[in-house]
């Protein structure tokens, strides 16, 4: 038989009549017999997965709630200082006890709440705005918990609003007040539930400062005879003192002492000239001069006078003319290259009964100090007016 290319085709193979068809898309059938039941879903796994999802949702909600809660009690001190700071003033006084320095807050029609300790037996009082404006003030009265109510003369600045309700116990608060150098600052003081210790941020100049909430509204006032005795007078009492017809306020007795003092801290004149070694020497000497004058240490002032000046300006004469004076806000505005003179402007608060007061209580002076060296030390030889004396309120 031939099997080559020209061989005849083979006949088809016979397929049994009852055989089924098989195509390339069909897979062979599974072997017969009973099949295992279809496995259902894992019930515990589904429960556990659902529980995990629920816990994630609850935790997320709790976290968001905690965050919102924290936001609701936190205070933005920068924003609060910007809104409330313009109504917070500096209070200066010359008093029989020499305690006259505090912060204060404008409430309405020029009235000011401050610490009574700063104006106890006051001979003269001024309030100083954040922009440096000075206005005379009268003491209307004081409360048993250390609040004083002043009436400023000529202040019509917007007051600080008393809060409608006090802050919740966990809400943060802040104190706005002044440093001894006269700079306005704000300090977070914690919440009623978790207050900060006063020793962490207080100084005497901040007594009388307002405690504000996160909206910048008045919710308390810090009072006390000393920093160690400082306490916050609550909103409810301030409402009584700030009312148009105040209650709980007793008319204060004015000072009657022959000598009175202002704050006793060291004075450092602001340099408005180049900060050379000579300028710093003059700054230190004139600062010492004003500090000793404020402390009424007139015997020690003599060391800063030339022999010529000491002969005419004796301690007794200093006491007679400056026995109720308090010098503040000094600025050195000019200085000779050889140190022969310095020009300094400054404000002086004094009793209306002082020698030459003429019924006034605060003047702005602008003097030219002639300086000489004695034994290598710079001292004052004399001083003359560089400009006319004006009332502090004129500025």
């Amino acid at each position: 038989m031939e099997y080559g290319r020209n061989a005849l085709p083979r006949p088809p193979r016979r397929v049994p009549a009852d055989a089924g068809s098989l195509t390339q898309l069909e897979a062979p059938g599974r072997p017969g017999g009973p099949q295992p039941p279809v496995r259902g879903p894992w019930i515990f796994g589904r429960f556990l997965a659902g529980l995990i999802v629920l816990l994630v949702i609850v935790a997320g909600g709790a976290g968001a709630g905690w965050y919102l809660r924290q936001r609701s009690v936190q205070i933005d001190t920068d924003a609060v200082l910007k809104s409330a700071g313009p109504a917070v003033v500096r209070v200066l006084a010359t008093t029989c006890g020499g305690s006259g320095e505090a912060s204060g807050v404008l409430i309405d029609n020029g009235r000011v709440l401050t610490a009574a300790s700063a104006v106890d037996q006051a001979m003269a009082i001024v309030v100083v705005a954040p922009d440096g404006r000075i206005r005379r003030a009268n003491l209307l009265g004081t409360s048993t918990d250390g609040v004083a109510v002043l009436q400023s003369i000529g202040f019509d600045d917007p007051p600080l609003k008393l809060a409608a309700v006090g802050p919740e116990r966990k809400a943060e608060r802040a104190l706005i007040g002044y440093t001894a150098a006269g700079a306005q600052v704000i300090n977070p003081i914690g919440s009623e539930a978790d207050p900060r210790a006063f020793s962490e941020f207080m100084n005497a100049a901040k007594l009388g400062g307002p405690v504000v909430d996160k909206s910048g509204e008045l919710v308390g006032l810090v009072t006390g005879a000393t920093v160690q005795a400082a306490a916050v007078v609550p909103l409810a009492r301030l409402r009584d003192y700030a009312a148009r017809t105040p209650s709980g306020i007793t008319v204060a007795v004015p000072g009657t002492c022959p000598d009175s003092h202002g704050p006793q801290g060291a004075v450092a004149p602001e340099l408005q000239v180049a900060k050379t070694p000579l300028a710093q020497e003059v700054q230190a000497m004139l600062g010492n001069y004003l500090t000793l004058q404020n402390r009424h240490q007139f015997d020690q002032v003599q060391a800063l006078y030339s022999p010529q000046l000491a002969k005419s300006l004796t301690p007794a004469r200093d006491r007679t003319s400056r026995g109720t004076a308090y010098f503040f806000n000094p600025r050195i505005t000019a200085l000779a290259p050889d140190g022969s003179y310095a020009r300094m402007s400054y404000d002086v608060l004094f009793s209306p009964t002082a020698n030459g007061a003429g019924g006034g209580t605060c003047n702005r002076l602008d003097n030219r100090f002639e300086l000489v060296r004695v034994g290598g030390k710079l001292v004052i030889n004399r001083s003359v007016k560089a400009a006319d004396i004006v009332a502090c309120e004129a500025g």
Side-chain angles (χ1 to χ4, degrees):
M1 182 175 290
E2 189 173 350
Y3 293 95
R5 180 179 297 176
N6 295 324
L8 294 175
R10 295 180 180 181
R13 189 173 58 183
R14 295 182 181 275
V15 179
D18 58 349
S21 63
L22 180 66
T23 69
Q24 291 179 343
L25 297 180
E26 290 179 332
R30 294 182 179 177
Q35 300 294 320
V38 178
R39 185 176 183 181
W42 186 29
I43 296 176
F44 178 73
R46 292 179 62 187
F47 171 77
L48 182 60
L51 180 60
I52 291 173
V53 171
L54 178 62
L55 290 175
V56 170
I57 293 173
V58 171
W66 176 87
Y67 175 75
L68 293 174
R69 171 70 175 169
Q70 286 298 106
R71 289 290 300 272
S72 72
V73 299
Q74 287 179 339
I75 190 168
D76 183 340
T77 52
D78 290 338
V80 167
L81 184 61
K82 184 176 180 180
S83 65
V88 181
V89 297
R90 192 181 182 201
V91 177
L92 298 174
T94 175
T95 69
C96 295
S99 58
E101 181 178 25
S103 301
V105 57
L106 286 163
I107 48 173
D108 64 4
N109 301 317
R111 287 191 302 161
V112 174
L113 299 183
T114 188
S117 57
V119 292
D120 181 39
Q121 297 187 38
M123 304 291 283
I125 307 169
V126 291
V127 292
V128 186
D131 61 7
R133 286 174 297 137
I134 301 171
R135 296 294 182 268
R136 194 157 42 97
N138 295 323
L139 176 59
L140 298 182
T142 59
S143 68
T144 56
D145 53 7
V147 176
V149 183
L150 310 179
Q151 178 64 63
S152 65
I153 301 172
F155 254 136
D156 56 359
D157 295 46
L160 193 64
K161 181 181 178 183
L162 274 73
V165 295
E168 58 179 287
R169 283 181 52 78
K170 293 186 178 181
E172 294 180 349
R173 304 161 300 163
L175 168 67
I176 303 177
Y178 286 83
T179 66
Q184 190 183 82
V185 295
I186 185 169
N187 298 105
I189 65 170
S191 64
E192 185 180 347
D194 186 21
R196 288 181 63 192
F198 279 116
S199 59
E200 296 179 16
F201 55 84
M202 278 297 296
N203 61 37
K206 292 177 185 174
L207 290 171
V211 175
V212 295
D213 61 13
K214 69 173 188 175
S215 299
E217 295 182 334
L218 181 62
V219 296
L221 194 84
V222 176
T223 65
T226 63
V227 170
Q228 292 73 22
V232 177
V233 177
L235 177 62
R237 294 184 199 167
L238 296 184
R239 291 190 193 285
D240 294 336
Y241 309 150
R244 293 297 179 92
T245 304
S247 60
I249 295 294
T250 303
V251 176
V253 178
T256 56
C257 50
D259 285 358
S260 60
H261 300 71
Q264 304 291 287
V267 177
E270 177 188 346
L271 276 180
Q272 295 185 345
V273 297
K275 193 176 181 180
T276 63
L278 175 61
Q280 291 177 302
E281 181 184 9
V282 171
Q283 179 188 39
M285 188 272 292
L286 289 178
N288 192 23
Y289 164 75
L290 293 176
T291 299
L292 293 174
Q293 291 280 2
N294 283 346
R295 294 173 180 172
H296 293 183
Q297 295 173 341
F298 301 118
D299 290 338
Q300 295 183 38
V301 175
Q302 293 287 300
L304 302 178
Y305 292 163
S306 68
Q308 175 185 333
L309 181 60
K311 287 180 182 179
S312 60
L313 196 54
T314 63
R317 186 176 174 186
D318 256 348
R319 183 173 298 278
T320 299
S321 61
R322 297 166 185 172
T324 66
Y326 167 62
F327 298 98
F328 64 102
N329 197 27
R331 299 171 296 278
I332 297 174
T333 58
L335 176 64
D338 60 355
S340 59
Y341 74 84
R343 183 172 175 176
M344 182 171 68
S345 64
Y346 50 101
D347 300 299
V348 55
L349 180 64
F350 48 89
S351 165
T353 61
N355 184 32
T361 57
C362 188
N363 285 337
R364 181 162 296 143
L365 310 182
D366 190 349
N367 288 345
R368 176 180 164 129
F369 291 81
E370 182 182 301
L371 308 176
V372 295
R373 289 195 180 276
V374 176
K377 187 176 80 170
L378 208 58
V379 295
I380 302 168
N381 192 46
R382 68 170 184 157
S383 68
V384 295
K385 288 192 300 183
D388 289 338
I389 297 173
V390 297
C392 293
E393 296 92 337

